Amino acid sequence: MLHQINPGQTTIRPQVFNGSNASAPNISDDRLETVGTLMSYGRDEEIFGEGEVSARFYKVMSGSVRTYKILDDGRRQIVGFHLPGDFFGLEAGDRHTLSAEALCETNAIAMKRSAVLERASRNKSLFEKLWKITTLELSRSQSHALLLIKSAQERVQDFLLDMAEREASHGEIELPMSRQDIADYLGLTIETVSRTLTLLEKTGLIALPSTRRILLKNFAALRASQG
Amino acid sequence: MLHQINPGQTTIRPQVFNGSNASAPNISDDRLETVGTLMSYGRDEEIFGEGEVSARFYKVMSGSVRTYKILDDGRRQIVGFHLPGDFFGLEAGDRHTLSAEALCETNAIAMKRSAVLERASRNKSLFEKLWKITTLELSRSQSHALLLIKSAQERVQDFLLDMAEREASHGEIELPMSRQDIADYLGLTIETVSRTLTLLEKTGLIALPSTRRILLKNFAALRASQG
DNA sequence: CGACCATTTGATATGGATCAAGCGATGTGG
DNA sequence: CCACATCGCTTGATCCATATCAAATGGTCG
């Protein structure tokens, strides 16, 4: 089951979070997450579901999140992975157009949509920050579509390079997601992802010390678009 | 050539366009395009290119536009088609992350990015409009990614339904784009698009009175996800 | 009317899906 | 602490949807 939740692991400890220095409150603080609620989620726990009323944005503080859509036939398309520092839940209407789940133990700040939008419409710096986040997300989504027309090997390579860059790790990736998650993000089957990783290892482009750890051994070759 | 421009057909007639009633200027006009420059483009003419400095947003007034990216190997992925009323050119950085071309004779209002952002950061109504447009584009892009993991038949059907809805035509579509454009949008080859349309015609779901005109004869069946 | 370009149709090839085992890590109960 | 069950991943064999290569048709414009 894709939606499985482990109730035993789940712990939500909402608490008011104020990012600004309490002793020197700053009315023009330009951080989006200045006032929000810190939420904790267990592995595979749902943060929000497609169709639910969308009242909040989120910023990942620790852990990671997947956002996804389910097709009629049950297939799942992962729209994005959200690492610490990333925002998610930015959506047009008053209902979520996708679902979000924690990949592992995750802390995220939940911000009231209305409050953030209200503040952004009066604070130029905040507005610019929100604009940047949203258009960056748009750009990411467009690049994702570009990914989906490439060959399996290119998709996997691009994914590894993207993860390495986002984790700012110099060639050593710690994957927070399963092979199935990767497959659903790349529009491939789990078997193809696995085979491609094995092939990349045999070619010497990467090493696989454990399933969740990958070493990129040849950035240049990984970047070169291949079949 | 994908980039071919027919210089003979090209006519740019920039002119100041003021959407508000000149006799009653309204400082809080909440239309994004209130002040802009009306531009005209010929068939296949480039409006902006990937990598160019991005100074402007655009709103399509008549005609239609394709935005796209080119992969290393020369393949082209069309990111979106923009019909009258649609905006394009909303991007994060100071450089365009994609290219835009007119599909046919097209008029569009070009608005200075900086001016629009400046005004939106002070005018709540304008801010909300800009927010809506941007998040809608984000949502569209995510749905597009969803499209790309479906079967050829589903992609074509979804495309036809989407066009019908956007043209607000009750089952009669006038396509502003070629088969190659459709193929590059759907991540298929031109042959597969053609074959799929032929199949849909044989099944009685659509009729093809001419290559650029398509009649949807069975919405229910088109909506039903098929292999 | 003829040339050209877009589209359709046909034949074949192939990358990735599907179906099916096997393997290895992780966790649980004895 | 170890045997075993479980789950996630890898590997193998085969199939199929769509790409590719090739040719025919049709529509448009000089």
Side-chain angles (χ1 to χ4, degrees):
Chain A
M1 270 304 289
L2 296 171
H3 279 279
Q4 78 189 37
I5 292 176
N6 308 11
Q9 299 180 16
T10 300
T11 323
I12 305 186
R13 290 175 269 107
Q15 60 185 87
V16 171
F17 175 84
N18 191 325
S20 53
N21 187 329
S23 64
N26 181 355
I27 201 163
S28 67
D29 192 312
D30 65 355
R31 276 176 299 177
L32 283 172
E33 67 275 24
T34 297
V35 174
T37 307
L38 185 61
M39 307 283 286
S40 289
Y41 302 93
R43 191 156 109 79
D44 293 327
E45 186 179 343
E46 177 166 301
I47 298 172
F48 56 76
E50 192 171 344
E52 279 180 17
V53 170
S54 150
R56 292 183 162 76
F57 299 131
Y58 297 82
K59 181 182 182 178
V60 180
M61 301 310 284
S62 68
S64 359
V65 171
R66 62 174 165 252
T67 48
Y68 64 92
K69 293 188 179 216
I70 301 287
L71 287 165
D72 318 319
D73 62 4
R75 264 177 307 170
R76 178 183 69 162
Q77 172 67 23
I78 291 188
V79 171
F81 295 115
H82 306 272
L83 309 185
D86 291 346
F87 289 79
F88 64 98
L90 303 101
E91 303 190 39
D94 48 1
R95 285 184 185 275
H96 283 294
T97 58
L98 32 74
S99 306
E101 287 173 359
L103 284 168
C104 54
E105 290 295 322
T106 295
N107 288 311
I109 295 179
M111 294 155 274
K112 276 229 174 74
R113 234 175 78 94
S114 55
V116 172
L117 290 179
E118 171 62 35
R119 284 175 61 220
S121 71
R122 285 183 286 101
N123 177 331
K124 182 133 193 284
S125 161
L126 204 63
F127 166 83
E128 278 167 356
K129 206 145 286 189
L130 186 63
W131 173 254
K132 199 168 183 181
I133 290 165
T134 311
T135 49
L136 185 69
E137 199 61 28
L138 177 59
S139 171
R140 251 194 207 149
S141 174
Q142 290 170 347
S143 297
H144 188 200
L146 205 65
L147 229 194
L148 296 176
I149 66 162
K150 297 186 181 181
S151 71
Q153 197 175 333
E154 283 175 303
R155 293 187 216 191
V156 172
Q157 293 182 181
D158 284 7
F159 170 73
L160 295 178
L161 288 168
D162 185 45
M163 286 303 295
E165 192 179 323
R166 291 172 68 187
E167 290 188 357
S169 59
H170 296 282
E172 186 165 344
I173 310 176
E174 184 77 39
L175 295 176
M177 72 291 283
S178 70
R179 293 287 188 271
Q180 187 63 61
D181 287 327
I182 298 172
D184 289 350
Y185 176 71
L186 299 180
L188 299 170
T189 59
I190 187 175
E191 293 95 330
T192 299
V193 171
S194 183
R195 272 187 254 271
T196 306
L197 287 172
T198 305
L199 182 66
L200 290 175
E201 188 183 31
K202 278 179 184 152
T203 328
L205 299 197
I206 65 171
L208 298 162
S210 77
T211 45
R212 293 283 179 117
R213 280 187 60 234
I214 301 183
L215 306 176
L216 309 195
K217 305 180 73 172
N218 188 339
F219 276 81
L222 284 169
R223 283 203 191 88
S225 285
Q226 307 190 11
Chain B
M1 269 306 289
L2 296 172
H3 278 278
Q4 78 187 37
I5 292 175
N6 308 12
Q9 299 181 16
T10 300
T11 325
I12 305 186
R13 290 172 270 107
Q15 60 185 88
V16 171
F17 175 83
N18 190 327
S20 52
N21 187 329
S23 63
N26 181 356
I27 201 164
S28 67
D29 192 312
D30 66 353
R31 275 176 299 178
L32 283 171
E33 68 274 23
T34 297
V35 174
T37 308
L38 185 61
M39 307 282 286
S40 290
Y41 302 93
R43 192 156 109 79
D44 293 327
E45 185 179 344
E46 177 167 301
I47 298 172
F48 56 76
E50 192 172 344
E52 279 180 17
V53 170
S54 148
R56 292 183 161 77
F57 299 133
Y58 297 81
K59 181 181 183 180
V60 180
M61 301 311 284
S62 68
S64 358
V65 170
R66 63 176 165 250
T67 48
Y68 64 92
K69 293 188 181 216
I70 300 287
L71 286 165
D72 317 321
D73 62 5
R75 265 177 306 169
R76 178 183 69 163
Q77 172 66 23
I78 290 187
V79 171
F81 294 116
H82 307 272
L83 309 185
D86 292 344
F87 289 79
F88 64 98
L90 303 102
E91 303 191 41
D94 49 0
R95 287 185 181 274
H96 285 293
T97 59
L98 32 76
S99 307
E101 288 173 358
L103 283 167
C104 53
E105 291 294 321
T106 295
N107 288 311
I109 296 178
M111 296 155 273
K112 276 229 174 76
R113 234 175 79 92
S114 55
V116 172
L117 290 179
E118 170 62 33
R119 283 174 62 220
S121 72
R122 285 182 287 102
N123 178 331
K124 182 135 194 284
S125 162
L126 204 63
F127 167 83
E128 279 167 356
K129 205 146 287 187
L130 186 62
W131 174 253
K132 199 168 183 180
I133 289 166
T134 311
T135 50
L136 184 69
E137 199 61 27
L138 178 58
S139 171
R140 251 195 206 149
S141 174
Q142 291 171 347
S143 298
H144 187 201
L146 205 65
L147 228 195
L148 296 176
I149 67 162
K150 298 186 182 181
S151 71
Q153 197 174 333
E154 283 175 303
R155 293 188 215 189
V156 172
Q157 293 182 181
D158 285 7
F159 170 73
L160 294 178
L161 288 167
D162 184 46
M163 285 302 296
E165 193 180 321
R166 291 171 67 186
E167 289 188 357
S169 59
H170 296 281
E172 185 165 345
I173 310 176
E174 183 77 37
L175 295 176
M177 73 290 285
S178 71
R179 293 287 188 271
Q180 187 63 60
D181 287 327
I182 298 172
D184 289 349
Y185 177 70
L186 299 179
L188 299 170
T189 58
I190 187 175
E191 292 95 330
T192 298
V193 170
S194 182
R195 273 187 253 270
T196 305
L197 287 171
T198 305
L199 181 67
L200 290 174
E201 187 183 32
K202 277 180 184 152
T203 328
L205 300 197
I206 65 172
L208 299 161
S210 76
T211 46
R212 293 283 179 116
R213 280 186 61 235
I214 300 184
L215 306 176
L216 308 196
K217 305 181 74 172
N218 188 340
F219 277 80
L222 284 170
R223 282 203 192 88
S225 285
Q226 307 188 12

